[in-house]
Amino acid sequence: MGDPKGFLRVPRVEEDERPIDERVQDWRELVVPGDPAQVRQQASRCMDCGIPFCHQGCPLGNLIPEWNDLVYRGDLAGAAKRLLATNNFPEVTGRVCPAPCEASCVLAMRDEPVTIKTIERTIADELRDAGGYAPQRASERTGKRVAVVGSGPAGLAAAQQLARAGHDVVVFERDDAVGGLLRYGIPDFKMEKDVLDARAAQMRAEGVVFRLGVSVGHDVRGDQLLHEFDAVVLGIGARAPRDLPIPGRELRGVHFAMEFLAQQNRRLAGQEPEAERTILATGKRVIVIGGGDTGSDCVGTSVRQGATSVAQLELMPKPALVRQPANPWPEWPLVLRTSTSQEEGAERDWSVSTRSFRGEGGRVVALEAVRVVLEKGKMVPVAGSELSVPADLVLLAMGFVGPERGGVVEQLGLALDARGNVRTDASGATSVPGVFAAGDAARGQSLVVWGIADGRRVAAGADAWLRRAPLTRTGT
Amino acid sequence: MPLPAATGLYDPAHERDACGLGFVADLHRPASHQVVGMGLEILRRLAHRGAAGCDPCSSDGAGILIHVPHAHYERTLGHAGIELPLAGDYGVAQCFLSPDPATRAAEMRVLEEAVRHHNQKVIGWRDVPVDPTQLGPLARASMPVFKQLFIGRMCPAGIFERTLFMIRKRAGRRAGEAGLEAFYIASLSSKTVVYKGLALPERLDAFYLDLKADETRSRLALVHSRFSTNTFPTWERAHPYRHIAHNGEINTLRGNQGWMAAREPLLESDAFGEHLADFKPIIRPGGSDSASLDNVVDFLVAGGRSLPHVMMMLVPEAWEGQPEMPAERRAFYEYHASLVEPWDGPAALCFTDGRYVGATLDRNGLRPMKYVATRSGFVVAASEFGVADFEADDVIEKGRLQPGRMLLVDFERGRIVRDEEIKHEVATQKPYAQWLEGNKIDLGDIDRDLAAARTPSLAAGERQRRMRAHGYTREDLRVLLTPMATAGEEPLGSMGNDAPLAVLSERPQLLFRYFKQQFAQVTNPPIDPIREKLVMTLTSCVGGEGNLLVETPRQCRLLELPQPVLTNDELAALVGGVLGDFPVRVLPVLFDARASDPGAALDSALVGLCAAAEEAVDDGASLIVLSDRSMDRAHAAIPVLLATSAVHHALARAGKRLRVGLVVETGEAREVADVALLIGYGAGAVNPYLAFEAIDALGVDVPRDERRAHYVHAIGKGLLKVMSKMGISCLSSYQGAQIFEALGVGQETVERWFPGTPSPIGGIGLPEIAREALVRHAIGFETPLLPMSDEEALDVGGVYAWRVGGERHLWSPRTVSALQKAVRLEDARSYEEYARAINEQGDAPFTLRGCWDLVPAAEPVPLEDVEPAAKIVRRFATGAMSFGSISKEAHENLAIAMNRIGGKSNSGEGGEDPARFLPMANGDSRRSAIKQVASARFGVTAHYLVNADELQIKIAQGAKPGEGGQLPGHKVDEHIARVRHSVPGVTLVSPPPHHDIYSIEDLAQLIFDLKAVNEEARVSVKLVSETGVGTIAAGVAKAHADAIHIAGHDGGTGASPLSSIHHAGTPWELGLAETHQVLVLNGLRDRVRLQVDGQLKTGRDVAIAALLGADEFGFATAPLVASGCVMMRKCHLNTCPVGIATQDPELRARFAGAPEHVINYLFFVAEELRALMARMGFRTLDEMVGRTDHLAVRMLNHPKAGTLDFTRVLQRPNAATRGWPSAQPSWVGATEEALVDAARISLKHKEPTTMQVSLTNADRAFGARLAGELARKHGAEGLADGTIVVEASGTAGQSFGAFAARGMLLVLEGDANDYVGKGLSGGVLAVRPPARAPFKSHENVIVGNTCLYGATSGRLYVAGRAGERFAVRNSGAEAVVEGVGDHGCEYMTGGIVVVLGATGRNFAAGMSGGVAYVLDEDGTFGSRVSKATVALEPMDAEDDERLRALVEEHVAHTRSARGRAVLAAWGKRRFVRVMPHEWKRVLEIRRTA
């Protein structure tokens, strides 16, 4: 800790965002990269706590106090090393993570946490600007072959860790580019995709082979993989979306959020979808059902596509504006948040349950809903509160229910847990020897940072299994 | 008469004792009965220094040694028809024999056989007449039969004493072989005879009727009265022994015994011939430290050295770095340092062989020894003044023995032989200096450049492999090595330790981590290695030693190291053979990393290693280097501590240890504790090669050479601290002394490889040790290495603070936040979540209690029948945290909370604002019920003491037992300074020891002092858990404490050195269980309440503490967490973000705690406890105390914890909990009682009174009761100066004028003992010699040691010299004295001291405030000043005026001739002003402000 009293001298200053009027005109990242001098000052606020609650907040156990200190001392290269020691893709988490670390920062007790996320992104970007991500090739090869299925955060992290441990790693990705949800789920205004390309290049240099456009389960059978490889790691996500099976669901203009978001991302990558499958918000009244991050992404994307109006409906009640006593630090604060997308212009409503979609000519024109209250854990309609909302485009952003069915999971005969996720032990091992599962596939829908953390953990498990060695805790 | 055998956690090996002692010698007259009577009178007058146990009529032992009373024996034997030869031609064996006639006959036969074997004549037996009715029942029940055997001389007179010695040794050995365990010869000599036993000192002559007889005449009487820590009757442990009587404690005993045993095979002597075999072991097993020392003295004297010579070699004065010492004497000590290590520890020793009688003090001078010489030819030396009465004009000299000095009376020469003279005589017997010159090897001669070329650094990858294989973590680099290498500092931490013990950790632990340092408490003091460094030394000698019985030049052919850490280059040079005829053998300490049975592989590797070491010695090696440097993928390092101890002990057993030096080259050792362990288990020097490599590779901006030097310096500094914790000054005495206990190492393993080390709970063996080593080895050598930095390559660690992926901690984000939520929202479910996380440790325990289950009762009681929580919380206290270490807000919050619920808060050691003694407007009270009395005595005034319900004497604290502390000046703001009676900005040092507690009888005195001031408060004594603490506690109970507090090693809220937090002391479970067991065994349990603290967190913790024996419970960290602490562990930086451990006003404003939070927490704990009580069938806590039958060891699925054996911990002592009724002494002397009565009117109406009294040394703490009464009535302000005047005469007992309050004037004509003006609180004291005294006042000592300790205000005038540590930690009193001993004005933070005479060494050490003016007549004063914190300056006009006024006052109060002379020549005398740098700076800031 360079400056023991930094937190007293320096107030928290958050990162700048481009003005709304400007940023909605394009798809580029809306956050303005931090001024290095200011970031350094912000890093001085870290107190190097005896119990770093931020560690608890961060699933990766990022060595936040250590790299904050190095940033404060001006050693960005050293900070990057420390950051990369626990996090394979800080340039990703530095952009898209909701930063539970900041919520649990000791200074968050007074709502002034260290700007950990900004510092993380600054370190990662500086590293890239200073010469890219140097490959770390293993000094010894084990000769073992590992297949990694899926190139989302979990798959990529697992693949990189396993390659660095000396194994020959092949990543199977059904899309035509590396990244999974990172590439096609996250809008460019939150993260431009060149960061993924840089990482993929680094991983190739470290020996990872990417087989793109190959869908395991369809193009290659899961059991076949087991014959060709010594171990298989599934990072197939939890991509089955939660549906809303109500009257009118079949109407045109009612879509899952991910279809909409992926299309826009492909469009930006130069792949226009077929005309009849095009989903565009341009000139439409858009309703987003679901108040989470995906919903927000739909809002921001709709605004940029030129929607005439955007509204977002949430089933749960409106959260309080400030932290409630029963929800003290360091718990995640259950307060009303307004995302950058929501700032760009979305009407939000809470405690609304959609009952049916009304259509005209097979196209949705409105949705019928009712207000609800939470009673004994159940949503109960409020009599006489029915409402009808006109809509040309409805986007369902209500989360995901688990891994997709009918593919590799069945082919391998993996046991599932009660929630429909692949069942694993602490090392990531599934019910089939040699098969491991990481990330949302085993955990259920979660954050990118959990995906990376799981990928690392499961890579360690798979590595130990391959070496037939007991799991030992060495460096992180 | 042996002590009871070990049972439960009690082990007789931990027994301690202390005492009063003295001698009288008559130089002018022939033997007389008067001298015997004077000796007995000394005993009577020192009775308060001894003790009685649970049975008030059985003393701990008293005894007298006199010249053989020939006339008396001749007459009494004549009646029996036995004719004695002439005096001197026969010896007397004073025997303790068995009461069983058959056994007794066998014992007598053994002795007679020995006499005949040595061709001497058995003259006859005499029954020693005794009167058993004089004894208490315990003593009577254990009384032996007393007989004397008279032995006629049949050999030349010159060898008769030696022959008698050989007879005694032979008889002892033969008796042992014949199973006659109890046979004991108190003395066997033609010159002296010892009468000793368990009679009360004042009844010794009523018991031994010989002593009453007029014809029992002697020119010498050496006496001793014992204070033992137990109540078991042991007749032979009474002193005097054959040659010595001892007050104090030998801290290095285990090492001394071990080395002495190791020397035995090398012994050869013409004089003893084949009889030498009878002498072994030279030290009789099972004896006390004093008895062991006597064995060695006895042996060496018989071997031909003179008694003074023997005392000088065994208990040498501090000679290293003493340029003023004569060269020949330094050479004598240096030469003997290669023969024998010092017997180190606080010691006042009286010794005699009939011709000489003398006394000497250890190098620290920590026990008092005063003496008087008279014109009429008497020399009397004793622990106190006032033990013999002489006419004032007869006394020609009064003095006190100085540290390391000797007082010797030689009956042949008929005079006192001065220290200088006798030491010169002894030191010039042989050309020691010349011998050293020709033989000693100096490491400084090594060509380092050449060596450096031989030791290339490891490549980064190899370094990282090895670091992993040796368990290095990132924390080791960041937390430990970086501060050591960059600043030479030892790393600090705070908030104690809440990680699992090594044996419970799931991570592979270094074997080092299973060992805990032991430390001194109560029975001997720790040392301050910084401010009293002049007695400390790290010098060690490495190489082979010779025959102790002869003196030859070759015996100092040794390598002398100024400190024990060798750099890589130095080691390479040694191994490279730069030393010529000093053969070095390197032995690899490795074992097969691929063995199928690692435990067996390790075992056979060790056996092979030991054999190789023996072979190396046989081959003539002078030095063995144990090295793990050659480790590789196939060969793992043997844990180096195991290898070192194994070789050390194997060589010792084979009689080869002393023929060779032992050096360790290891990658495993890195921190202070590691090096200390290696030395403690026998290594002479250590080269932690990998630590040096790691340091070289650190990314810090300090040149390499400097880093290495800093590191060596930091380890050395740390070693001094570790040694000083045990009160050991010399590394050579520490080496092999094994001042450690094993926590989690199996009994069998300890016995085989670490013999003599306590291991209370058993634990792992070689298989587990090997497994842990191999897990590490695999991490190092079997996992791939990437090109990366050291930090990236290493494990996170997480031992010092919670980290993801690191070691487990009980305080985690989860437990901290759950507890805070619980207390803030009164959320019982959140408390349950917290308590579950801590209580349910499953197969991964953190603590010993986590390994146990509570056993429910067959029939539980309904919850509503259990005593209410409101009653339970009254047994709760918050921990001692000083205002200063934590903020005013946090401190007062705790006090208010505890006062609301009837519990107790603790002031800590920083004093307390008197405003807090008064209730607040809303009825709350901020007053701390417990007021602490700690070593610095900050703000400990009479007023403070009378405003307490409990006075807690803090002997040690869990986080850093045996250490002091300091509050840096920048933390001392206006308010703290006022409460501590200091000024803002001045650093405040807390010394490691209480300077008035160097032994158990001193503690008894301090308890007496406190009770004298405030009899209503209960006095508790705070100890820290370690093996042997129960025995100490028994002593504390006998010293009349009301409560004993056992703190665990893991507690601690303030900043401490990390090595102390983690490596010293044991968990409270052990200390508490041992204390309870030993107190019960001694019948002392119901005299005291037992309190416990140390990471108590839940109701289950409290339940377990109660079941192990605790009555009351302390919490510190948890109430702080309840108040908002989030375990920042930044207490030492003043940046606490929640306003607790800080004095920064901005941060304090962030304090968000409330009394309710603390109260809610304690009630949650109490309710949790109640539920457990109901389940176990207890209605009240009292029923639970000591009920270990409700604790069961859980079967654990844990590779290491499963090996633990808790039988001894959970044992219920086979004795009634109720013991003998306690005999409460009177806490106020008769003289003082009258005084207080007489002063009542003055106290009430503030009218002046004058009284006359006559005092003896039994009048202890005179004036303290009056001070207490005064403070109660008139508060801190007191009365007008001189309202109550007491004119006293005679010799005052200890603590004269202690805590005297403003308004009191005590004038003493005569002399006073130690602690005059202790805690002076505004009163005025004057001590002057009798008008008729012929001596010059400034040349004689009339007040003892440690005067004005912790004084806060008032004045003291002494027309004479004072002893050691005058005005130690004075913060405001003004004093004039005519000479002081060593360490004058130590740690002083305020006030004025004027010295009109000579000063001792180390003046002003640690002095940060106040001023001293010293009359420097010969211009040498400067050389005796410790100048680290002060400057010597000329006086200015302001000083001159102030000084003159003080000297005038001095003359007015004492009529001092010295003072008058100084005034008469005013302006011509050279005064030097001693001005602390900080004080000066602060004064200047104030002046300009």
Side-chain angles (χ1 to χ4, degrees), chain A residues 1 4-5 8 47-53 55-56 63 81-82 110 112 139 325-326 330-331 473-475, chain B residues 474 779 785 791-792 794-795 801-804 811 813 817 821 825 1127-1128 1130 1135 1137 1144 1146-1147 1150:
Chain A
M1 178 180 48
K5 291 201 168 179
L8 289 175
M47 302 185 291
D48 187 23
C49 301
I51 294 182
F53 283 77
H55 277 203
Q56 165 89 346
L63 305 169
K81 279 187 160 183
R82 207 56 50 80
R110 293 163 63 96
E112 51 193 23
S139 51
E331 293 176 5
R473 295 193 215 186
T474 63
Chain B
R474 264 201 309 267
I779 293 171
L785 272 179
E791 290 216 1
E792 288 171 275
L794 299 180
D795 183 270
W802 183 91
R803 289 289 182 272
V804 158
W811 288 118
S817 49
K821 188 171 180 181
L825 306 180
M1127 300 295 282
M1128 290 297 293
K1130 291 285 175 295
T1135 58
D1144 183 322
E1146 197 183 336
L1147 292 171
R1150 295 179 169 220

Side-chain angles (χ1 to χ4, degrees), chain B residues 1013-1314:
Chain B
V1013 179
N1014 182 3
E1015 192 169 339
E1016 289 157 33
R1018 86 183 179 166
V1019 173
S1020 74
V1021 175
K1022 179 175 177 178
L1023 306 173
V1024 170
S1025 178
E1026 66 176 326
T1027 290
V1029 71
T1031 300
I1032 307 260
V1036 171
K1038 289 169 73 177
H1040 299 292
D1042 301 298
I1044 294 171
H1045 187 106
I1046 302 291
H1049 68 137
D1050 45 4
T1053 49
S1056 307
L1058 278 178
S1059 95
S1060 310
I1061 294 177
H1062 288 266
H1063 307 309
T1066 63
W1068 57 257
E1069 289 94 322
L1070 299 180
L1072 174 63
E1074 182 186 327
T1075 301
H1076 178 74
Q1077 289 174 15
V1078 176
L1079 289 175
V1080 170
L1081 283 175
N1082 277 286
L1084 295 167
R1085 179 62 183 88
D1086 61 342
R1087 276 199 188 182
V1088 289
R1089 307 265 293 167
L1090 273 186
Q1091 308 166 327
V1092 69
D1093 73 6
Q1095 298 281 1
L1096 291 184
K1097 295 185 186 68
T1098 64
R1100 181 181 187 271
D1101 289 347
V1102 173
I1104 286 180
L1107 295 172
L1108 288 175
D1111 301 298
E1112 297 173 14
F1113 314 89
F1115 304 83
T1117 309
L1120 288 188
V1121 171
S1123 308
C1125 167
V1126 287
M1127 300 295 282
M1128 290 297 293
R1129 298 189 193 261
K1130 291 285 175 295
C1131 310
H1132 49 298
L1133 293 180
N1134 205 21
T1135 58
C1136 179
V1138 292
I1140 293 177
T1142 179
Q1143 301 305 328
D1144 183 322
E1146 197 183 336
L1147 292 171
R1148 280 167 47 201
R1150 295 179 169 220
F1151 180 73
E1156 290 77 12
H1157 299 157
V1158 177
I1159 294 170
N1160 288 342
Y1161 165 66
L1162 294 174
F1163 270 86
F1164 278 135
V1165 170
E1167 289 296 351
E1168 183 198 343
L1169 172 66
R1170 288 183 68 238
L1172 297 172
M1173 289 167 69
R1175 222 178 301 156
M1176 289 188 284
F1178 296 116
R1179 288 178 172 79
T1180 66
L1181 248 168
D1182 280 334
E1183 296 167 24
M1184 283 176 83
V1185 175
R1187 290 291 302 276
T1188 50
D1189 51 321
H1190 278 274
L1191 290 173
V1193 180
R1194 193 168 62 247
M1195 290 299 294
L1196 288 170
N1197 178 20
H1198 184 288
K1200 297 190 286 182
T1203 63
L1204 296 176
D1205 174 4
F1206 294 110
T1207 320
R1208 293 167 61 199
V1209 182
L1210 301 183
Q1211 187 176 89
R1212 285 185 82 185
N1214 189 15
T1217 308
R1218 297 210 69 81
W1220 297 74
S1222 155
Q1224 279 291 324
S1226 167
W1227 296 117
V1228 55
T1231 318
E1232 174 126 23
E1233 205 152 17
L1235 180 74
V1236 176
D1237 265 350
R1240 291 236 179 268
I1241 296 186
S1242 280
L1243 286 175
K1244 198 163 178 187
H1245 303 291
K1246 308 187 182 182
E1247 286 168 7
T1249 322
T1250 299
M1251 289 164 279
Q1252 278 85 29
V1253 297
S1254 165
L1255 300 177
T1256 74
N1257 74 318
D1259 288 300
R1260 299 185 292 146
F1262 182 79
R1265 174 57 55 90
L1266 183 59
E1269 295 294 321
L1270 208 158
R1272 269 185 218 281
K1273 293 211 168 57
H1274 302 288
E1277 291 72 37
L1279 295 171
D1281 274 349
T1283 305
I1284 301 172
V1285 179
V1286 182
E1287 293 168 356
S1289 60
T1291 294
Q1294 298 185 80
S1295 304
F1296 173 73
F1299 303 104
R1302 184 158 169 266
M1304 294 167 65
L1305 168 61
L1306 309 184
V1307 182
L1308 171 65
E1309 184 172 302
D1311 47 21
N1313 278 291
D1314 297 342

Side-chain angles (χ1 to χ4, degrees), chain B residues 1375-1416:
Chain B
V1376 182
V1377 61
E1378 299 182 359
V1380 298
D1382 291 353
H1383 314 293
C1385 298
E1386 196 175 15
Y1387 312 109
M1388 196 162 109
T1389 58
I1392 303 172
V1393 168
V1394 180
V1395 187
L1396 302 179
T1399 56
R1401 298 174 302 174
N1402 207 34
F1403 192 89
M1407 177 178 177
S1408 60
V1411 184
Y1413 301 100
V1414 178
L1415 183 56
D1416 185 17

Side-chain angles (χ1 to χ4, degrees), chain B residues 2-163:
Chain B
L3 291 167
T7 169
L9 290 171
Y10 168 75
D11 187 330
H14 307 138
E15 291 299 343
R16 303 275 192 276
D17 52 18
C19 51
L21 84 170
F23 69 78
V24 53
D26 184 348
L27 288 168
H28 288 183
R29 280 161 296 272
S32 69
H33 186 66
Q34 183 195 0
V35 167
V36 178
M38 288 171 77
L40 293 168
E41 181 62 20
I42 294 176
L43 270 186
R44 266 187 280 279
R45 295 199 189 178
L46 293 178
H48 55 266
R49 299 184 77 95
C54 45
D55 156 16
C57 291
S58 296
S59 89
D60 288 353
I64 184 167
L65 178 153
I66 54 176
H67 282 133
V68 168
H70 177 66
H72 177 63
Y73 292 158
E74 189 176 43
R75 186 175 57 78
T76 52
L77 281 171
H79 293 315
I82 297 173
E83 196 177 326
L84 276 182
L86 292 177
D89 286 344
Y90 63 93
V92 187
Q94 182 85 326
C95 302
F96 292 4
L97 303 174
S98 169
D100 170 58
T103 311
R104 187 162 68 240
E107 290 167 343
M108 291 164 72
R109 274 197 305 276
V110 162
L111 182 54
E112 289 178 24
E113 186 278 334
V115 172
R116 293 194 188 97
H117 181 82
H118 282 280
N119 301 314
Q120 306 299 307
K121 183 181 165 195
V122 174
I123 297 175
W125 290 90
R126 169 177 183 263
D127 292 329
V128 180
V130 294
D131 177 2
T133 63
Q134 297 296 327
L135 299 176
L138 275 179
R140 198 154 57 222
S142 60
M143 187 182 80
V145 168
F146 306 95
K147 277 179 176 290
Q148 292 170 330
L149 179 65
F150 289 78
I151 300 164
R153 175 169 72 81
M154 305 295 287
C155 61
I159 61 165
F160 188 41
E161 280 294 303
R162 180 187 303 156
T163 307

Side-chain angles (χ1 to χ4, degrees), chain B residues 336-379:
Chain B
H336 284 85
S338 47
L339 282 186
V340 64
E341 72 294 337
W343 287 62
D344 198 3
L349 289 157
C350 288
F351 53 87
T352 183
D353 58 2
R355 171 189 164 177
Y356 293 113
V357 59
T360 188
L361 293 191
D362 67 278
R363 56 173 55 213
N364 266 306
L366 296 175
R367 302 308 306 136
M369 182 56 65
K370 319 264 195 302
Y371 65 90
V372 172
T374 69
R375 208 186 302 262
S376 53
F378 286 104
V379 179

